Amino acid sequence: MAHFQFEASVSELVRLDGPMVRAPVPRWQRKAMERKDSCCWSPTSPAPMSFSRSKTPKCTPLMDSSLRGAKTPAKTPSKTPSKTPGKKQSKTPTGKRPASATLPPSNQGDRFIPNRALMDLDFSNFRINNDDEPEEGEDVKGRAYSSTLSEMLSGKQTENAKILTLKQKPPKAQEGYYNNLKVLYSSSKCDSTTKAKAGRYIPKTADNVLDAPGLRNDFYLNLVDWGSRNLLAVALHDDLYLWIASSGTVEHLLKLDDPEDYLCSVSWIKEGNVLATGNAQGQVQLWDVEKSKCLRTMDGHAARVGSLSWNEFILTSGSRTGKIHHHDVRVADHHVATLDCHTQEVCGLKWSPDGKYLASGGNDNQVNVWASAAGTGTAPLYSLTQHQAAVKALAWCPWQPSILASGGGTADRTIRFWNCNTGLCLNSVDTGSQVSSILWSAAHKELISSHGFAQYQLSIWKYPMMQRIADLKGHTNRILSMCLSPDQTMVMSAAADETLRRWSCFTSVDSKQKSVKGGKTRTSHALSVGQIR
């Protein structure tokens, strides 16, 4: 027990909230001793003893026979009032604090000091020096008797008692003094109901890698598209293949007759049963994928058709001459309007989700926004000229149909956001490399961009802060095009290394996808194959 006595001595020396034992005797204590001495004083008794600095000596009453019947002299009233009026003064104050003492007011500040009285050191020594496990040959009844006896003596159960217990919870930190590192010292398990929602896992490697020999290394072409029937169309020079995502099989759809001709663009209709293709001779063809049959061929362009976009039954095509044609596929005279504002090749076309606006990007570093009712000779609503390179990447926000995202080429490398109701640039971010395509994720409120020179990666951004979440790397050459799966959970990228890679970058923990909130939804008018002339 010597070490416990040593710890108690050290604790008394360094304790700040207890009485000072070795200090000079306080004035109120000297007054109390004077009153006690006056009660025991007699003419024959010696002079009062001098006060010691350590402990107050006890006054022993004299039992002289000559004073047994004498009256006690009247007490001299003390000038200094008692420390706690109305309560009986303790005869000899001790330096130990009772076990039921509460924390002093100084302990309610910015740090928590546990009450040392709650730590039973004697009982702790008993638990350390006595093993609870019975030894071999020991009587179990005797063991139970010893346990009961120790419980009666110590007032605690030895089996379930803890050596150190803190019955008082620490006070809550004041505002502005919250420490985020306290979780490092927490030993309690996190409740499932209060557990924070963990961030989703984004695989950094592709799920599938498909070989695409003959894929043209041309930044201005759009050679892949994923339809609503889970069919991926891939244009490889003069051949067009369909990859069935559900089974992983590949089917050959068409081959161009002219060996010098090649496919420049592909685009699925919303219903997913008709595929539009544009070739180098300026023709636009419509194909029935179920019957592998060409429904019609539409001429009108004087150069290759590098971009296509559907708006219900209107097919819009962009040419190398800078002209944009609207084709009504329901009528024999398909050419209904021509938009002529670009001075170089049109490499990007995209209709807004509500069908009100058409965005076009060209090699003249310009983005034009057109109204749906724009006819031949009509000027665009807005001509956006902030980009410093060709604009191929165009994407409309699914939950805000008037927000357009555009990406520039090698000399620009920026993604810009436009409000097409006002024509103002809302935000811009420098990606550090050529932007070839942009896609939105309505479920996660994010967007993904594909890049060419010189990083060859896909980048996922959190909108609207444009915080980079992840970079998906794997391609060894610039990424030319990118498309989104029908369930909006996977992305297929096509690169100049002649490979296609599928990325599961937008998968969600919930089985049900969140519904898209925002702009008005337009009425869907399904177009059957029989309506195409």
Side-chain angles (χ1 to χ4, degrees), residues 236-268:
L236 303 179
H237 191 60
D238 56 351
D239 292 292
L240 196 145
Y241 293 89
L242 299 178
W243 181 68
I244 305 174
S246 58
S247 60
T249 58
V250 179
E251 294 182 0
H252 183 265
L253 181 62
L254 67 95
K255 183 178 180 63
L256 298 179
D257 298 332
D258 191 351
E260 296 183 357
D261 194 7
Y262 58 90
L263 294 171
C264 302
S265 57
V266 294
S267 180
W268 288 99

PDB file of all heavy atoms in Angstrom, residues 236-268:
ATOM      1  N   LEU A 236     -17.387   1.985 -87.100  1.00  0.00           N
ATOM      2  CA  LEU A 236     -15.980   1.682 -87.342  1.00  0.00           C
ATOM      3  C   LEU A 236     -15.711   1.830 -88.836  1.00  0.00           C
ATOM      4  O   LEU A 236     -15.990   0.912 -89.625  1.00  0.00           O
ATOM      5  CB  LEU A 236     -15.642   0.262 -86.863  1.00  0.00           C
ATOM      6  CG  LEU A 236     -15.944  -0.045 -85.386  1.00  0.00           C
ATOM      7  CD1 LEU A 236     -15.596  -1.488 -85.051  1.00  0.00           C
ATOM      8  CD2 LEU A 236     -15.185   0.909 -84.474  1.00  0.00           C
ATOM      9  N   HIS A 237     -15.221   3.005 -89.211  1.00  0.00           N
ATOM     10  CA  HIS A 237     -14.948   3.345 -90.609  1.00  0.00           C
ATOM     11  C   HIS A 237     -16.237   3.218 -91.423  1.00  0.00           C
ATOM     12  O   HIS A 237     -17.134   4.043 -91.299  1.00  0.00           O
ATOM     13  CB  HIS A 237     -13.820   2.491 -91.165  1.00  0.00           C
ATOM     14  CG  HIS A 237     -13.329   2.974 -92.498  1.00  0.00           C
ATOM     15  ND1 HIS A 237     -12.795   4.235 -92.669  1.00  0.00           N
ATOM     16  CD2 HIS A 237     -13.317   2.391 -93.719  1.00  0.00           C
ATOM     17  CE1 HIS A 237     -12.462   4.405 -93.936  1.00  0.00           C
ATOM     18  NE2 HIS A 237     -12.773   3.289 -94.594  1.00  0.00           N
ATOM     19  N   ASP A 238     -16.377   2.172 -92.267  1.00  0.00           N
ATOM     20  CA  ASP A 238     -17.566   2.029 -93.111  1.00  0.00           C
ATOM     21  C   ASP A 238     -18.511   0.949 -92.595  1.00  0.00           C
ATOM     22  O   ASP A 238     -19.472   0.587 -93.285  1.00  0.00           O
ATOM     23  CB  ASP A 238     -17.167   1.729 -94.554  1.00  0.00           C
ATOM     24  CG  ASP A 238     -16.284   0.503 -94.680  1.00  0.00           C
ATOM     25  OD1 ASP A 238     -15.846  -0.010 -93.625  1.00  0.00           O
ATOM     26  OD2 ASP A 238     -16.023   0.054 -95.808  1.00  0.00           O
ATOM     27  N   ASP A 239     -18.260   0.399 -91.404  1.00  0.00           N
ATOM     28  CA  ASP A 239     -19.135  -0.619 -90.817  1.00  0.00           C
ATOM     29  C   ASP A 239     -19.779  -0.054 -89.555  1.00  0.00           C
ATOM     30  O   ASP A 239     -19.179   0.753 -88.823  1.00  0.00           O
ATOM     31  CB  ASP A 239     -18.342  -1.881 -90.447  1.00  0.00           C
ATOM     32  CG  ASP A 239     -17.841  -2.614 -91.672  1.00  0.00           C
ATOM     33  OD1 ASP A 239     -18.676  -3.158 -92.416  1.00  0.00           O
ATOM     34  OD2 ASP A 239     -16.601  -2.630 -91.884  1.00  0.00           O
ATOM     35  N   LEU A 240     -20.995  -0.557 -89.291  1.00  0.00           N
ATOM     36  CA  LEU A 240     -21.701  -0.164 -88.081  1.00  0.00           C
ATOM     37  C   LEU A 240     -22.105  -1.430 -87.331  1.00  0.00           C
ATOM     38  O   LEU A 240     -22.746  -2.322 -87.898  1.00  0.00           O
ATOM     39  CB  LEU A 240     -22.928   0.685 -88.401  1.00  0.00           C
ATOM     40  CG  LEU A 240     -23.505   1.456 -87.203  1.00  0.00           C
ATOM     41  CD1 LEU A 240     -24.056   2.794 -87.646  1.00  0.00           C
ATOM     42  CD2 LEU A 240     -24.596   0.675 -86.485  1.00  0.00           C
ATOM     43  N   TYR A 241     -21.729  -1.486 -86.039  1.00  0.00           N
ATOM     44  CA  TYR A 241     -21.990  -2.645 -85.194  1.00  0.00           C
ATOM     45  C   TYR A 241     -22.894  -2.233 -84.032  1.00  0.00           C
ATOM     46  O   TYR A 241     -22.867  -1.089 -83.575  1.00  0.00           O
ATOM     47  CB  TYR A 241     -20.678  -3.228 -84.642  1.00  0.00           C
ATOM     48  CG  TYR A 241     -19.800  -3.838 -85.707  1.00  0.00           C
ATOM     49  CD1 TYR A 241     -18.860  -3.061 -86.383  1.00  0.00           C
ATOM     50  CD2 TYR A 241     -19.894  -5.192 -86.039  1.00  0.00           C
ATOM     51  CE1 TYR A 241     -18.042  -3.606 -87.351  1.00  0.00           C
ATOM     52  CE2 TYR A 241     -19.073  -5.751 -87.009  1.00  0.00           C
ATOM     53  CZ  TYR A 241     -18.153  -4.952 -87.660  1.00  0.00           C
ATOM     54  OH  TYR A 241     -17.345  -5.503 -88.634  1.00  0.00           O
ATOM     55  N   LEU A 242     -23.671  -3.227 -83.574  1.00  0.00           N
ATOM     56  CA  LEU A 242     -24.535  -3.050 -82.411  1.00  0.00           C
ATOM     57  C   LEU A 242     -24.054  -3.979 -81.300  1.00  0.00           C
ATOM     58  O   LEU A 242     -23.928  -5.195 -81.518  1.00  0.00           O
ATOM     59  CB  LEU A 242     -26.000  -3.369 -82.753  1.00  0.00           C
ATOM     60  CG  LEU A 242     -26.662  -2.509 -83.829  1.00  0.00           C
ATOM     61  CD1 LEU A 242     -28.087  -2.974 -84.077  1.00  0.00           C
ATOM     62  CD2 LEU A 242     -26.647  -1.037 -83.432  1.00  0.00           C
ATOM     63  N   TRP A 243     -23.776  -3.394 -80.141  1.00  0.00           N
ATOM     64  CA  TRP A 243     -23.390  -4.185 -78.971  1.00  0.00           C
ATOM     65  C   TRP A 243     -24.585  -4.277 -78.038  1.00  0.00           C
ATOM     66  O   TRP A 243     -25.095  -3.271 -77.562  1.00  0.00           O
ATOM     67  CB  TRP A 243     -22.198  -3.540 -78.257  1.00  0.00           C
ATOM     68  CG  TRP A 243     -21.730  -4.304 -77.060  1.00  0.00           C
ATOM     69  CD1 TRP A 243     -21.137  -5.529 -77.050  1.00  0.00           C
ATOM     70  CD2 TRP A 243     -21.828  -3.882 -75.695  1.00  0.00           C
ATOM     71  NE1 TRP A 243     -20.843  -5.906 -75.763  1.00  0.00           N
ATOM     72  CE2 TRP A 243     -21.251  -4.922 -74.900  1.00  0.00           C
ATOM     73  CE3 TRP A 243     -22.315  -2.745 -75.051  1.00  0.00           C
ATOM     74  CZ2 TRP A 243     -21.169  -4.845 -73.520  1.00  0.00           C
ATOM     75  CZ3 TRP A 243     -22.243  -2.666 -73.667  1.00  0.00           C
ATOM     76  CH2 TRP A 243     -21.666  -3.708 -72.916  1.00  0.00           C
ATOM     77  N   ILE A 244     -25.062  -5.511 -77.809  1.00  0.00           N
ATOM     78  CA  ILE A 244     -26.218  -5.745 -76.950  1.00  0.00           C
ATOM     79  C   ILE A 244     -25.702  -5.846 -75.522  1.00  0.00           C
ATOM     80  O   ILE A 244     -25.045  -6.823 -75.143  1.00  0.00           O
ATOM     81  CB  ILE A 244     -26.962  -7.024 -77.367  1.00  0.00           C
ATOM     82  CG1 ILE A 244     -27.343  -6.930 -78.851  1.00  0.00           C
ATOM     83  CG2 ILE A 244     -28.206  -7.223 -76.516  1.00  0.00           C
ATOM     84  CD1 ILE A 244     -27.958  -8.205 -79.405  1.00  0.00           C
ATOM     85  N   ALA A 245     -25.984  -4.842 -74.706  1.00  0.00           N
ATOM     86  CA  ALA A 245     -25.402  -4.762 -73.367  1.00  0.00           C
ATOM     87  C   ALA A 245     -25.918  -5.850 -72.448  1.00  0.00           C
ATOM     88  O   ALA A 245     -25.197  -6.310 -71.551  1.00  0.00           O
ATOM     89  CB  ALA A 245     -25.690  -3.381 -72.762  1.00  0.00           C
ATOM     90  N   SER A 246     -27.157  -6.285 -72.634  1.00  0.00           N
ATOM     91  CA  SER A 246     -27.722  -7.293 -71.732  1.00  0.00           C
ATOM     92  C   SER A 246     -27.040  -8.644 -71.881  1.00  0.00           C
ATOM     93  O   SER A 246     -26.847  -9.363 -70.901  1.00  0.00           O
ATOM     94  CB  SER A 246     -29.221  -7.436 -71.994  1.00  0.00           C
ATOM     95  OG  SER A 246     -29.459  -7.786 -73.354  1.00  0.00           O
ATOM     96  N   SER A 247     -26.647  -8.997 -73.090  1.00  0.00           N
ATOM     97  CA  SER A 247     -26.015 -10.300 -73.332  1.00  0.00           C
ATOM     98  C   SER A 247     -24.531 -10.202 -73.667  1.00  0.00           C
ATOM     99  O   SER A 247     -23.822 -11.208 -73.601  1.00  0.00           O
ATOM    100  CB  SER A 247     -26.737 -11.016 -74.484  1.00  0.00           C
ATOM    101  OG  SER A 247     -26.661 -10.246 -75.681  1.00  0.00           O
ATOM    102  N   GLY A 248     -24.068  -9.015 -74.033  1.00  0.00           N
ATOM    103  CA  GLY A 248     -22.666  -8.847 -74.389  1.00  0.00           C
ATOM    104  C   GLY A 248     -22.327  -9.305 -75.787  1.00  0.00           C
ATOM    105  O   GLY A 248     -21.138  -9.399 -76.142  1.00  0.00           O
ATOM    106  N   THR A 249     -23.325  -9.575 -76.624  1.00  0.00           N
ATOM    107  CA  THR A 249     -23.085 -10.018 -77.993  1.00  0.00           C
ATOM    108  C   THR A 249     -23.014  -8.823 -78.939  1.00  0.00           C
ATOM    109  O   THR A 249     -23.476  -7.724 -78.620  1.00  0.00           O
ATOM    110  CB  THR A 249     -24.198 -10.973 -78.446  1.00  0.00           C
ATOM    111  OG1 THR A 249     -25.467 -10.279 -78.342  1.00  0.00           O
ATOM    112  CG2 THR A 249     -24.224 -12.209 -77.562  1.00  0.00           C
ATOM    113  N   VAL A 250     -22.441  -9.058 -80.110  1.00  0.00           N
ATOM    114  CA  VAL A 250     -22.242  -8.010 -81.113  1.00  0.00           C
ATOM    115  C   VAL A 250     -22.921  -8.439 -82.409  1.00  0.00           C
ATOM    116  O   VAL A 250     -22.814  -9.605 -82.831  1.00  0.00           O
ATOM    117  CB  VAL A 250     -20.747  -7.755 -81.356  1.00  0.00           C
ATOM    118  CG1 VAL A 250     -20.548  -6.670 -82.413  1.00  0.00           C
ATOM    119  CG2 VAL A 250     -20.057  -7.340 -80.056  1.00  0.00           C
ATOM    120  N   GLU A 251     -23.630  -7.491 -83.037  1.00  0.00           N
ATOM    121  CA  GLU A 251     -24.286  -7.737 -84.328  1.00  0.00           C
ATOM    122  C   GLU A 251     -23.836  -6.688 -85.327  1.00  0.00           C
ATOM    123  O   GLU A 251     -23.647  -5.516 -84.968  1.00  0.00           O
ATOM    124  CB  GLU A 251     -25.813  -7.694 -84.179  1.00  0.00           C
ATOM    125  CG  GLU A 251     -26.390  -8.810 -83.335  1.00  0.00           C
ATOM    126  CD  GLU A 251     -27.901  -8.748 -83.273  1.00  0.00           C
ATOM    127  OE1 GLU A 251     -28.473  -7.815 -83.911  1.00  0.00           O
ATOM    128  OE2 GLU A 251     -28.501  -9.593 -82.591  1.00  0.00           O
ATOM    129  N   HIS A 252     -23.685  -7.103 -86.563  1.00  0.00           N
ATOM    130  CA  HIS A 252     -23.305  -6.195 -87.651  1.00  0.00           C
ATOM    131  C   HIS A 252     -24.571  -5.676 -88.312  1.00  0.00           C
ATOM    132  O   HIS A 252     -25.425  -6.443 -88.751  1.00  0.00           O
ATOM    133  CB  HIS A 252     -22.421  -6.929 -88.664  1.00  0.00           C
ATOM    134  CG  HIS A 252     -21.938  -6.045 -89.770  1.00  0.00           C
ATOM    135  ND1 HIS A 252     -22.572  -5.950 -90.991  1.00  0.00           N
ATOM    136  CD2 HIS A 252     -20.879  -5.189 -89.826  1.00  0.00           C
ATOM    137  CE1 HIS A 252     -21.920  -5.096 -91.765  1.00  0.00           C
ATOM    138  NE2 HIS A 252     -20.883  -4.627 -91.075  1.00  0.00           N
ATOM    139  N   LEU A 253     -24.713  -4.354 -88.395  1.00  0.00           N
ATOM    140  CA  LEU A 253     -25.926  -3.755 -88.943  1.00  0.00           C
ATOM    141  C   LEU A 253     -25.767  -3.359 -90.402  1.00  0.00           C
ATOM    142  O   LEU A 253     -26.623  -3.685 -91.233  1.00  0.00           O
ATOM    143  CB  LEU A 253     -26.329  -2.529 -88.117  1.00  0.00           C
ATOM    144  CG  LEU A 253     -27.598  -1.806 -88.555  1.00  0.00           C
ATOM    145  CD1 LEU A 253     -28.812  -2.722 -88.461  1.00  0.00           C
ATOM    146  CD2 LEU A 253     -27.831  -0.540 -87.745  1.00  0.00           C
ATOM    147  N   LEU A 254     -24.707  -2.655 -90.778  1.00  0.00           N
ATOM    148  CA  LEU A 254     -24.592  -2.182 -92.153  1.00  0.00           C
ATOM    149  C   LEU A 254     -23.127  -2.002 -92.542  1.00  0.00           C
ATOM    150  O   LEU A 254     -22.246  -1.928 -91.674  1.00  0.00           O
ATOM    151  CB  LEU A 254     -25.342  -0.852 -92.324  1.00  0.00           C
ATOM    152  CG  LEU A 254     -24.789   0.375 -91.579  1.00  0.00           C
ATOM    153  CD1 LEU A 254     -23.872   1.214 -92.468  1.00  0.00           C
ATOM    154  CD2 LEU A 254     -25.944   1.243 -91.071  1.00  0.00           C
ATOM    155  N   LYS A 255     -22.929  -1.916 -93.843  1.00  0.00           N
ATOM    156  CA  LYS A 255     -21.618  -1.613 -94.428  1.00  0.00           C
ATOM    157  C   LYS A 255     -21.856  -0.723 -95.640  1.00  0.00           C
ATOM    158  O   LYS A 255     -22.712  -1.035 -96.488  1.00  0.00           O
ATOM    159  CB  LYS A 255     -20.884  -2.889 -94.828  1.00  0.00           C
ATOM    160  CG  LYS A 255     -19.478  -2.633 -95.383  1.00  0.00           C
ATOM    161  CD  LYS A 255     -18.777  -3.928 -95.705  1.00  0.00           C
ATOM    162  CE  LYS A 255     -17.379  -3.680 -96.270  1.00  0.00           C
ATOM    163  NZ  LYS A 255     -16.492  -3.009 -95.301  1.00  0.00           N
ATOM    164  N   LEU A 256     -21.130   0.369 -95.736  1.00  0.00           N
ATOM    165  CA  LEU A 256     -21.304   1.313 -96.837  1.00  0.00           C
ATOM    166  C   LEU A 256     -20.795   0.702 -98.139  1.00  0.00           C
ATOM    167  O   LEU A 256     -19.821  -0.071 -98.156  1.00  0.00           O
ATOM    168  CB  LEU A 256     -20.566   2.617 -96.539  1.00  0.00           C
ATOM    169  CG  LEU A 256     -21.042   3.382 -95.292  1.00  0.00           C
ATOM    170  CD1 LEU A 256     -20.206   4.642 -95.104  1.00  0.00           C
ATOM    171  CD2 LEU A 256     -22.522   3.731 -95.388  1.00  0.00           C
ATOM    172  N   ASP A 257     -21.461   1.076 -99.228  1.00  0.00           N
ATOM    173  CA  ASP A 257     -21.109   0.513-100.534  1.00  0.00           C
ATOM    174  C   ASP A 257     -19.819   1.111-101.077  1.00  0.00           C
ATOM    175  O   ASP A 257     -18.983   0.390-101.642  1.00  0.00           O
ATOM    176  CB  ASP A 257     -22.253   0.745-101.528  1.00  0.00           C
ATOM    177  CG  ASP A 257     -23.540   0.054-101.094  1.00  0.00           C
ATOM    178  OD1 ASP A 257     -23.425  -0.983-100.396  1.00  0.00           O
ATOM    179  OD2 ASP A 257     -24.635   0.552-101.418  1.00  0.00           O
ATOM    180  N   ASP A 258     -19.659   2.421-100.940  1.00  0.00           N
ATOM    181  CA  ASP A 258     -18.466   3.089-101.463  1.00  0.00           C
ATOM    182  C   ASP A 258     -17.289   2.844-100.519  1.00  0.00           C
ATOM    183  O   ASP A 258     -17.363   3.194 -99.340  1.00  0.00           O
ATOM    184  CB  ASP A 258     -18.739   4.586-101.601  1.00  0.00           C
ATOM    185  CG  ASP A 258     -17.651   5.312-102.395  1.00  0.00           C
ATOM    186  OD1 ASP A 258     -16.600   4.692-102.685  1.00  0.00           O
ATOM    187  OD2 ASP A 258     -17.858   6.495-102.720  1.00  0.00           O
ATOM    188  N   PRO A 259     -16.179   2.272-101.014  1.00  0.00           N
ATOM    189  CA  PRO A 259     -15.041   2.021-100.123  1.00  0.00           C
ATOM    190  C   PRO A 259     -14.372   3.294 -99.622  1.00  0.00           C
ATOM    191  O   PRO A 259     -13.697   3.256 -98.593  1.00  0.00           O
ATOM    192  CB  PRO A 259     -14.085   1.197-100.996  1.00  0.00           C
ATOM    193  CG  PRO A 259     -14.483   1.504-102.401  1.00  0.00           C
ATOM    194  CD  PRO A 259     -15.946   1.777-102.376  1.00  0.00           C
ATOM    195  N   GLU A 260     -14.547   4.411-100.318  1.00  0.00           N
ATOM    196  CA  GLU A 260     -13.959   5.669 -99.872  1.00  0.00           C
ATOM    197  C   GLU A 260     -14.871   6.433 -98.914  1.00  0.00           C
ATOM    198  O   GLU A 260     -14.466   7.451 -98.369  1.00  0.00           O
ATOM    199  CB  GLU A 260     -13.642   6.551-101.085  1.00  0.00           C
ATOM    200  CG  GLU A 260     -12.583   5.953-102.022  1.00  0.00           C
ATOM    201  CD  GLU A 260     -12.254   6.877-103.157  1.00  0.00           C
ATOM    202  OE1 GLU A 260     -12.886   7.960-103.242  1.00  0.00           O
ATOM    203  OE2 GLU A 260     -11.369   6.528-103.979  1.00  0.00           O
ATOM    204  N   ASP A 261     -16.085   5.941 -98.747  1.00  0.00           N
ATOM    205  CA  ASP A 261     -17.031   6.585 -97.837  1.00  0.00           C
ATOM    206  C   ASP A 261     -16.817   6.024 -96.427  1.00  0.00           C
ATOM    207  O   ASP A 261     -16.330   4.899 -96.246  1.00  0.00           O
ATOM    208  CB  ASP A 261     -18.464   6.330 -98.300  1.00  0.00           C
ATOM    209  CG  ASP A 261     -19.460   7.234 -97.598  1.00  0.00           C
ATOM    210  OD1 ASP A 261     -19.021   8.136 -96.854  1.00  0.00           O
ATOM    211  OD2 ASP A 261     -20.680   7.015 -97.781  1.00  0.00           O
ATOM    212  N   TYR A 262     -17.206   6.784 -95.423  1.00  0.00           N
ATOM    213  CA  TYR A 262     -17.094   6.331 -94.033  1.00  0.00           C
ATOM    214  C   TYR A 262     -18.185   7.003 -93.205  1.00  0.00           C
ATOM    215  O   TYR A 262     -18.720   8.061 -93.570  1.00  0.00           O
ATOM    216  CB  TYR A 262     -15.710   6.629 -93.441  1.00  0.00           C
ATOM    217  CG  TYR A 262     -15.307   8.086 -93.449  1.00  0.00           C
ATOM    218  CD1 TYR A 262     -15.609   8.934 -92.382  1.00  0.00           C
ATOM    219  CD2 TYR A 262     -14.615   8.631 -94.544  1.00  0.00           C
ATOM    220  CE1 TYR A 262     -15.245  10.272 -92.391  1.00  0.00           C
ATOM    221  CE2 TYR A 262     -14.247   9.964 -94.558  1.00  0.00           C
ATOM    222  CZ  TYR A 262     -14.563  10.778 -93.475  1.00  0.00           C
ATOM    223  OH  TYR A 262     -14.194  12.114 -93.501  1.00  0.00           O
ATOM    224  N   LEU A 263     -18.503   6.370 -92.080  1.00  0.00           N
ATOM    225  CA  LEU A 263     -19.535   6.883 -91.182  1.00  0.00           C
ATOM    226  C   LEU A 263     -18.952   7.989 -90.304  1.00  0.00           C
ATOM    227  O   LEU A 263     -17.828   7.886 -89.805  1.00  0.00           O
ATOM    228  CB  LEU A 263     -20.077   5.755 -90.302  1.00  0.00           C
ATOM    229  CG  LEU A 263     -20.840   4.649 -91.045  1.00  0.00           C
ATOM    230  CD1 LEU A 263     -21.128   3.491 -90.105  1.00  0.00           C
ATOM    231  CD2 LEU A 263     -22.145   5.199 -91.621  1.00  0.00           C
ATOM    232  N   CYS A 264     -19.754   9.057 -90.101  1.00  0.00           N
ATOM    233  CA  CYS A 264     -19.295  10.227 -89.354  1.00  0.00           C
ATOM    234  C   CYS A 264     -20.082  10.470 -88.077  1.00  0.00           C
ATOM    235  O   CYS A 264     -19.564  11.111 -87.145  1.00  0.00           O
ATOM    236  CB  CYS A 264     -19.373  11.478 -90.227  1.00  0.00           C
ATOM    237  SG  CYS A 264     -18.422  11.379 -91.751  1.00  0.00           S
ATOM    238  N   SER A 265     -21.314   9.978 -87.995  1.00  0.00           N
ATOM    239  CA  SER A 265     -22.139  10.242 -86.816  1.00  0.00           C
ATOM    240  C   SER A 265     -23.245   9.204 -86.725  1.00  0.00           C
ATOM    241  O   SER A 265     -23.705   8.673 -87.749  1.00  0.00           O
ATOM    242  CB  SER A 265     -22.739  11.651 -86.860  1.00  0.00           C
ATOM    243  OG  SER A 265     -23.503  11.829 -88.037  1.00  0.00           O
ATOM    244  N   VAL A 266     -23.680   8.917 -85.498  1.00  0.00           N
ATOM    245  CA  VAL A 266     -24.810   8.019 -85.233  1.00  0.00           C
ATOM    246  C   VAL A 266     -25.645   8.631 -84.107  1.00  0.00           C
ATOM    247  O   VAL A 266     -25.118   9.311 -83.218  1.00  0.00           O
ATOM    248  CB  VAL A 266     -24.339   6.600 -84.842  1.00  0.00           C
ATOM    249  CG1 VAL A 266     -23.650   5.916 -86.011  1.00  0.00           C
ATOM    250  CG2 VAL A 266     -23.416   6.651 -83.637  1.00  0.00           C
ATOM    251  N   SER A 267     -26.973   8.363 -84.147  1.00  0.00           N
ATOM    252  CA  SER A 267     -27.864   8.884 -83.112  1.00  0.00           C
ATOM    253  C   SER A 267     -29.140   8.055 -83.090  1.00  0.00           C
ATOM    254  O   SER A 267     -29.759   7.826 -84.137  1.00  0.00           O
ATOM    255  CB  SER A 267     -28.190  10.362 -83.371  1.00  0.00           C
ATOM    256  OG  SER A 267     -29.056  10.865 -82.377  1.00  0.00           O
ATOM    257  N   TRP A 268     -29.545   7.616 -81.879  1.00  0.00           N
ATOM    258  CA  TRP A 268     -30.769   6.848 -81.695  1.00  0.00           C
ATOM    259  C   TRP A 268     -31.952   7.781 -81.500  1.00  0.00           C
ATOM    260  O   TRP A 268     -31.842   8.827 -80.863  1.00  0.00           O
ATOM    261  CB  TRP A 268     -30.660   5.945 -80.464  1.00  0.00           C
ATOM    262  CG  TRP A 268     -29.751   4.759 -80.625  1.00  0.00           C
ATOM    263  CD1 TRP A 268     -28.475   4.652 -80.202  1.00  0.00           C
ATOM    264  CD2 TRP A 268     -30.085   3.513 -81.238  1.00  0.00           C
ATOM    265  NE1 TRP A 268     -27.971   3.406 -80.512  1.00  0.00           N
ATOM    266  CE2 TRP A 268     -28.940   2.685 -81.158  1.00  0.00           C
ATOM    267  CE3 TRP A 268     -31.224   3.006 -81.856  1.00  0.00           C
ATOM    268  CZ2 TRP A 268     -28.914   1.387 -81.657  1.00  0.00           C
ATOM    269  CZ3 TRP A 268     -31.200   1.707 -82.364  1.00  0.00           C
ATOM    270  CH2 TRP A 268     -30.057   0.917 -82.257  1.00  0.00           C
TER     271      TRP A 268
END
